[in-house]
Amino acid sequence: MILKTRKALPFFARHPWVFNGAIAKIDPTLNDGDTVDLISAESVWIARGLYNSRSKITVRLYTWDQQEFLDRTWLRNRIQQAIAVRTQLGVRHPSRGCRLIFSEADQLSGLVVDEYANYCCVQVTSLALAMRLEEICDILEEILQPKGIFVRTEQGIRKLEGLELNDHLHRGELPPEGFGISENGIFFEVNLAEGQKTGFYHDQRDNRLRSRQFAVGKKVLDACCYTGGFGLNCLKAGASQVDFLDTSQLALDIAARNAQHNSLPNASFWKGDVLKILPQWVAEGRKYDLIVLDPPKFARDQATFREALKGYHKLHQAALQLLVENGTLITCSCSGLLDMEQFLRIIQEAASQQRRHVQIIEKRGAALDHPIALSCPETEYLKCVICRVG
C-alpha cells in the first residue's frame, strides 16, 4: 500500500491510523483483515498493519519492525507484554478490576480487555482483530485461565468497522449472582453482560478515591453516577448525603445495591437526563457542597462536536448554580475529541456567565492501567478537573 506524497510523517512517528485520504495506491487483491505493508511515496518501507476496506481507518498499524510479522507469536507477545505492565504497576489483584489491554496505548489498536477478578471482557473495535477473536481468546485463556470471557461491543463501532458482533458470553461460565469487585475498600457489583462499556469504568479508579478528600460532612451530587463509583467513595469518606443521578434504571438499581452491600446510608437515587434534571433542581433552589459531573461521551465524532460543546456548557452552568459558595466541583470528560484546553474554556465560560470565581485545584487523567502512547495523543482522552467555586 503506497501513500500519497507528503503523507508519511505521522506514520514514521508511529501513529497507528491510516485514513483512506492518505493512500495513493491499494493492492486490488487485498481482502479485509489481510496484513499490509505501508510504503511511502518514495518507496520507503514504514510499517505493517491490517487492512479494512469498510472503515475510515483503512489500515491500523501494529509494527514498525520489518522483521516482525502479524502472526500468532506477535499477538501473544503483545498481549503478554500488556498484562506484564499492569502486573509490574501493581494494579492487578484477584478481587479487583483492571484494564489489561488499552488498544493503541499497548500497540493493539482496536482491542480493549478488562479483567474483573477471574473474568475477562473483550471489546473489539477493529474488523481485522475481530477476525482474530478466537486467537485472542485462546491466548487470554493460556495466560490468565479466566472462568469466563465476555465479548462486548461499542455503540456505533459495528457499523463504522463493518463488524458482525453482539454482546455475549463467548467462553466459560457466567459469574454468580451479585458478582463484583473490590475497589479502594468498596465492593462494586458488576454486570458484565449488560453494563455500560465492559461493565465498569476502571479509568476513574484514582479519581474516585481522590474525591473522598473533598466529601467529609458534605452534601454531594453524583451526576451521571452509573453504579455509584464517585458517590459511594464520598459516603465512605463521611459525606452527610449523596444524591445519585443517572438515566439508566439498571445502573441505579446496582448503585442502590452497592450502597447496601457496603452499609452506606444517606443515599438517594434519581432517574433522569442530567441536562433536564439539573436546571429543574436549580429552579427548586437545591444546593450542594460537592458536585461530581461524569457524563458519557458527548462528542463521538466531528459531526456531533458542536452540539457536544453546547451540552457541556449547559451542564456546567447548571452545576455552578447548584453549588454553594466555596463548594467543590469535580468535572470529567471522556470525549477524546475535546482536549483539556477546550474543556477548561467551557468551565471558564460557564463560570463567567454565572459570575462565579473558579480555582483549579488539580487536573487529573486516567488511572495507571490506562497509559498514554506519545505517538497517539488520542489515548489521553479522560480529563478530570477538581475546582473550588467561590
Side-chain angles (χ1 to χ4, degrees):
M1 183 169 292
I2 300 173
L3 290 170
K4 293 178 180 177
T5 305
R6 294 189 295 275
K7 292 291 185 179
L9 187 59
F11 313 116
F12 277 118
R14 294 181 170 241
H15 197 286
W17 300 341
V18 185
F19 290 92
N20 187 60
I23 300 168
K25 185 178 180 181
I26 298 174
D27 183 345
T29 66
L30 278 175
N31 294 312
D32 290 336
D34 282 355
T35 296
V36 61
D37 286 351
L38 191 67
I39 310 296
S40 74
E42 295 75 31
S43 300
V44 177
W45 189 92
I46 301 172
R48 184 166 289 135
L50 298 174
Y51 176 67
N52 183 3
S53 65
R54 311 179 205 183
S55 174
K56 291 181 180 179
I57 305 175
T58 307
V59 180
R60 292 177 187 261
L61 300 175
Y62 295 98
T63 183
W64 283 259
D65 180 354
Q66 199 166 0
Q67 304 308 312
E68 185 174 42
F69 298 94
L70 305 184
D71 53 16
R72 193 182 193 282
T73 298
W74 157 79
L75 187 57
R76 193 184 198 284
N77 287 342
R78 285 288 166 84
I79 290 173
Q80 195 164 31
Q81 183 181 47
I83 294 170
V85 168
R86 277 68 179 180
T87 302
Q88 292 162 9
L89 290 171
V91 290
R92 292 192 65 214
H93 187 275
S95 66
R96 294 202 295 260
C98 173
R99 174 145 294 180
L100 295 180
I101 300 173
F102 182 32
S103 197
E104 289 80 13
D106 289 300
Q107 299 183 82
L108 283 168
S109 178
L111 178 64
V112 166
V113 178
D114 282 345
E115 184 178 42
Y116 296 92
N118 294 317
Y119 290 83
C120 288
C121 271
V122 177
Q123 187 178 69
V124 184
T125 57
S126 153
L127 175 62
L129 291 188
M131 295 167 71
R132 291 159 172 80
L133 180 61
E134 298 309 323
E135 274 189 289
I136 291 167
C137 291
D138 286 344
I139 293 166
L140 291 173
E141 287 187 330
E142 289 171 16
I143 297 173
L144 301 171
Q145 294 88 48
K147 290 183 178 179
I149 298 176
F150 284 82
V151 169
R152 299 299 305 272
T153 55
E154 186 173 348
Q155 183 181 344
I157 292 296
R158 279 178 288 187
K159 183 177 179 180
L160 291 173
E161 281 286 312
L163 296 175
E164 295 181 3
L165 281 177
N166 293 303
D167 295 357
H168 66 284
L169 174 65
H170 193 65
R171 294 192 185 181
E173 62 187 55
L174 289 167
E177 187 176 350
F179 171 80
I181 59 172
S182 176
E183 180 188 280
N184 300 326
I186 299 175
F187 175 82
F188 288 97
E189 188 178 313
V190 179
N191 187 326
L192 299 181
E194 299 177 282
Q196 295 172 20
K197 294 290 187 177
T198 67
F200 198 62
Y201 291 93
H202 297 315
D203 53 2
Q204 291 279 28
R205 182 190 307 110
D206 299 339
N207 298 330
R208 289 190 282 261
L209 181 63
R210 188 76 170 104
S211 70
R212 294 186 186 186
Q213 181 173 342
F214 306 93
V216 181
K218 305 299 184 182
K219 183 179 180 182
V220 179
L221 169 61
D222 185 358
C224 306
C225 66
Y226 189 42
T227 56
F230 277 99
L232 293 175
N233 272 274
C234 291
L235 287 172
K236 185 80 171 178
S240 62
Q241 169 70 28
V242 176
D243 288 345
F244 294 84
L245 171 63
D246 203 273
T247 58
S248 168
Q249 189 61 55
L250 174 65
L252 288 169
D253 290 344
I254 296 175
R257 290 199 296 271
N258 285 339
Q260 293 173 354
H261 289 319
N262 295 279
S263 301
L264 295 173
N266 304 320
S268 60
F269 301 89
W270 303 81
K271 184 178 184 295
D273 182 343
V274 66
L275 291 175
K276 295 178 180 178
I277 296 294
L278 262 57
Q280 291 177 16
W281 288 355
V282 169
E284 292 171 9
R286 290 201 192 195
K287 290 294 180 182
Y288 293 95
D289 304 298
L290 167 61
I291 294 177
V292 180
L293 301 178
D294 188 18
K297 188 187 293 184
F298 280 2
R300 294 192 172 275
D301 50 42
Q302 288 293 345
T304 60
F305 187 70
R306 190 175 297 275
E307 282 303 308
L309 293 181
K310 292 180 182 178
Y312 281 120
H313 187 82
K314 182 179 179 181
L315 184 62
H316 284 88
Q317 275 201 314
L320 291 172
Q321 289 175 286
L322 287 168
L323 272 172
V324 300
E325 187 176 350
N326 299 324
T328 302
L329 174 66
I330 300 177
T331 178
C332 310
S333 168
C334 61
S335 297
L337 292 175
L338 183 73
D339 62 29
M340 180 63 86
E341 182 179 350
Q342 292 169 311
F343 190 48
L344 294 177
R345 192 178 305 127
I346 289 169
I347 301 169
Q348 169 54 28
E349 288 172 355
S352 178
Q353 289 186 358
Q354 295 304 318
R355 299 189 177 186
R356 303 298 298 268
H357 176 63
V358 176
Q359 296 171 302
I360 295 175
I361 305 300
E362 193 172 0
K363 291 186 282 187
R364 302 174 61 87
L368 286 176
D369 47 355
H370 293 67
I372 298 163
L374 285 176
S375 58
C376 186
E378 291 85 353
T379 54
E380 190 176 13
Y381 68 98
L382 182 64
K383 297 153 287 288
C384 176
V385 182
I386 302 176
C387 307
R388 177 184 175 275
V389 180

